[in-house]
Amino acid sequence: MSEDHKEKRQPGAVMSFLVFGAAIAVLLLGVVLLDYDIHIVLLCALAVVCIASVPLGYSFMDLVDCMKKSLGQALAAMIIFIFIGIIISSLIFSGTVPALIYYGLQYIIPDYFLPIGLLLCSLTSISIGTSWGTVGTMGLAMMGIGAGMGIPAPLTAGMVISGAFFGDKMSSISDSTNLAPAAAGTTLYAHIGAMWKTTFPSYIITLAVFTVLGLSYHGGNFSMDTVNLFLDTIGGRFHISPLVLMPMAVLLILNLMKYPAVPSMAIGTVLAVLVAVFYQGCPMREVVAGLNYGYAESTGVELVDKLLLRGGIQSMMYTFSLSCIAISFGGVMEHVGYLPQIVKVIIKRVRSDRMMVPVVIASTTFGTLTMGEVFLSIVVNGSLYKEAFRERGLRPEMLSRLLEEGGTLTQVFIPWSTSGVFILSTLGVGVSQYWKYAVLNYVNPVLSIVLAMFGIYVLKVGAEEKKSLCHRLIHSHKLS
């Protein structure tokens, strides 16, 4: 009884930085230097923070309550993780994802390989909600085709990465796209709406760059072997017709209507299951099992299998469990008071709202730089700045947008990050080679910062946004 009512003290700024530094040191040592599993290392960092909190008057159950508060706030996103696995699996069973790849590959034109490849990688990533899945499948196909055309491997890799991470950032079934709004305290569709403001112009710039670059490489010996391999394998396994695109079309329409994410995915799943059973001829028992374990019927072609053998609830358990531990870590850091103290020191030096944009982007990039894992960086920085944004009257979807710009996109430039290592092992091209060609990944954060300096897309609660970008620029110029 006396323990429950034990007076709790707030940590000072020095102690907060020491505890946070100790946790980061554990993560750096475990993940970067020793290459241990991120889950176990993160649990150790959580233990360090909990032990440091005991002298402040916190019991074990008090610390559990801190974790429960943050986990409760992120519960909606955690449920969506499960539905992401279900919808991916159902769209593969129905032939929707294979059809998207099948139709897309038929329209490759040598002179426009790079912009078409960018669009194909973007479409694939949006449809399956994962940059890694896109890099390991469509990305590998693009690397083979690009080599046959005489296009440098780093250039093709940059195109693949730009398209893959565009979809990872914008897809409603992407884990990072659901984690960022949960960490910032906003909704999925408000988050996606805020991201479009800076992502759309960035994507147009990226598309233009790859169009110009593509026209410079059209004299190579073009080989369609890889494309034909995909087409023959997919066409031989699935019934391909516009009908199988219906589940994805309905899902996209519901997304545009801002229908709740979970019911949208449920509707899309039901339609995909019906197409799988009645059009593709898959046994119902096999489809139902696949919703849990993923699509498991091998085609015998490794490149195609890397695309199709995925999905299911169990495929999301790595992300689900990591997110649980990361959110618990952030919950203790936030509710004990370490993060608010750190924020006070940082925010005290940030005088204008527009400067919050480069601060959050840099902070999230630094988080991935030090921890090597973007999910953890998104959660920690979301907790770090959430209250500060609320006090300044800035919208939470602006924070979630910045978390993705500084986390999801910039992780590819960090060689020891999980994404940097995966890209090197999959595409055979390192950060030092492809960084300048990953156009979207640096144009988007830079454009966001530049626009913020003019006061553009600094989203404030209750403030009406101007309808014209030109109007905003003119107005900002007059004020200056």
Side-chain angles (χ1 to χ4, degrees):
M1 189 70 147
S2 60
E3 186 178 359
D4 292 339
H5 289 83
K6 188 175 180 179
E7 184 178 352
K8 300 174 180 62
R9 296 183 291 108
Q10 286 289 314
V14 174
M15 180 181 181
S16 297
F17 276 101
L18 287 175
V19 171
F20 185 68
I24 296 299
V26 169
L27 290 167
L28 280 173
L29 176 64
V31 177
V32 179
L33 298 181
L34 301 178
D35 195 27
Y36 289 167
D37 184 85
I38 181 66
H39 292 70
I40 304 303
V41 176
L42 187 53
L43 276 174
C44 293
L46 175 60
V48 168
V49 175
C50 289
I51 292 171
S53 303
V54 173
L56 297 175
Y58 284 85
S59 67
F60 174 74
M61 291 310 300
D62 291 330
L63 296 170
V64 170
D65 286 338
C66 293
M67 300 177 202
K68 286 166 61 177
K69 288 178 184 177
S70 291
L71 285 169
Q73 294 169 353
L75 181 61
M78 307 300 282
I79 294 174
I80 288 176
F81 284 155
I82 294 175
F83 273 87
I84 289 172
I86 293 175
I87 190 68
I88 290 174
S89 180
S90 66
L91 290 177
I92 294 175
F93 271 101
S94 67
T96 305
V97 170
L100 287 170
I101 307 305
Y102 185 89
Y103 286 131
L105 286 174
Q106 288 184 320
Y107 292 97
I108 288 183
I109 302 172
D111 286 0
Y112 296 98
F113 164 69
L114 288 176
I116 291 175
L118 175 68
L119 293 171
L120 284 174
C121 289
S122 301
L123 182 62
T124 303
S125 191
I126 286 177
S127 65
I128 65 177
T130 165
S131 55
W132 285 23
T134 303
V135 169
T137 54
M138 184 60 75
L140 284 175
M142 293 296 110
M143 293 296 289
I145 298 169
M149 295 178 59
I151 297 178
L155 176 55
T156 305
M159 174 271 289
V160 169
I161 292 165
S162 294
F165 282 85
F166 165 78
D168 196 330
K169 181 173 181 277
M170 300 306 300
S171 174
S172 63
I173 60 174
S174 164
D175 41 17
S176 61
T177 307
N178 284 276
L179 186 61
T186 187
T187 63
L188 172 63
Y189 292 117
H191 169 58
I192 293 176
M195 286 198 297
W196 271 117
K197 298 178 185 301
T198 57
T199 304
F200 179 72
S202 300
Y203 192 81
I204 296 300
I205 293 171
T206 302
L207 186 61
V209 169
F210 282 116
T211 299
V212 173
L213 290 175
L215 293 174
S216 303
Y217 293 96
H218 60 274
N221 296 318
F222 182 54
S223 172
M224 288 292 292
D225 290 345
T226 306
V227 172
N228 289 331
L229 180 63
F230 265 86
L231 295 177
D232 293 342
T233 306
I234 291 173
R237 176 55 57 90
F238 297 91
H239 297 299
I240 302 297
S241 75
L243 175 65
V244 301
L245 299 178
M246 180 182 63
M248 178 62 70
V250 171
L251 185 61
L252 290 175
I253 290 171
L254 292 174
N255 287 345
L256 291 174
M257 294 173 59
K258 298 185 178 180
Y259 202 70
V262 171
S264 296
M265 292 181 187
I267 292 171
T269 298
V270 171
L271 290 175
V273 168
L274 292 175
V275 172
V277 173
F278 294 104
Y279 187 69
Q280 299 293 351
C282 299
M284 176 62 80
R285 179 180 295 275
E286 181 181 327
V287 175
V288 171
L291 297 181
N292 184 33
Y293 296 107
Y295 187 85
E297 188 175 351
S298 174
T299 65
V301 178
E302 185 179 359
L303 272 179
V304 180
D305 283 347
K306 285 185 177 181
L307 173 62
L308 300 183
L309 303 185
R310 62 177 63 255
I313 294 174
Q314 298 307 315
S315 71
M316 297 304 298
M317 288 302 101
Y318 180 95
T319 300
F320 188 91
S321 57
L322 179 61
S323 298
C324 281
I325 302 171
I327 290 170
S328 298
F329 173 80
V332 175
M333 289 292 295
E334 178 181 5
H335 294 295
V336 172
Y338 300 117
L339 292 180
Q341 286 291 346
I342 295 172
V343 165
K344 285 180 183 178
V345 175
I346 296 175
I347 299 301
K348 194 178 294 183
R349 290 167 170 75
V350 180
R351 305 208 175 266
S352 66
D353 292 339
R354 64 187 65 183
M355 286 304 298
M356 291 298 293
V357 173
V359 166
V360 175
I361 290 177
S363 179
T364 310
T365 302
F366 180 76
T368 311
L369 186 74
T370 55
M371 295 179 273
E373 176 53 59
V374 71
F375 290 151
L376 181 56
S377 182
I378 286 175
V379 170
V380 169
N381 281 278
S383 300
L384 190 68
Y385 293 103
K386 183 163 56 178
E387 187 60 34
F389 268 61
R390 186 181 298 116
E391 290 176 358
R392 285 174 174 262
L394 298 172
R395 296 187 195 174
E397 57 263 35
M398 175 181 166
L399 172 58
S400 63
R401 184 195 89 200
L402 298 176
L403 293 175
E404 291 247 51
E405 290 170 349
T408 303
L409 292 179
T410 62
Q411 61 180 311
V412 304
F413 301 120
I414 301 171
W416 55 85
S417 72
T418 51
S419 287
V421 173
F422 174 79
I423 292 169
L424 175 61
S425 62
T426 305
L427 301 184
V429 183
V431 175
S432 62
Q433 297 171 290
Y434 68 66
W435 71 267
K436 59 185 176 184
Y437 299 117
V439 181
L440 180 77
N441 298 68
Y442 57 77
V443 166
N444 196 168
V446 170
L447 181 63
S448 181
I449 293 172
V450 171
L451 290 175
M453 295 304 102
F454 289 95
I456 301 168
Y457 299 146
V458 178
L459 309 180
K460 297 188 177 182
V461 176
E464 286 189 7
E465 294 181 31
K466 303 293 187 296
K467 294 183 178 180
S468 168
L469 181 61
C470 292
H471 181 82
R472 284 170 172 266
L473 286 168
I474 293 172
H475 181 66
S476 177
H477 177 71
K478 287 180 178 179
L479 289 178
S480 62

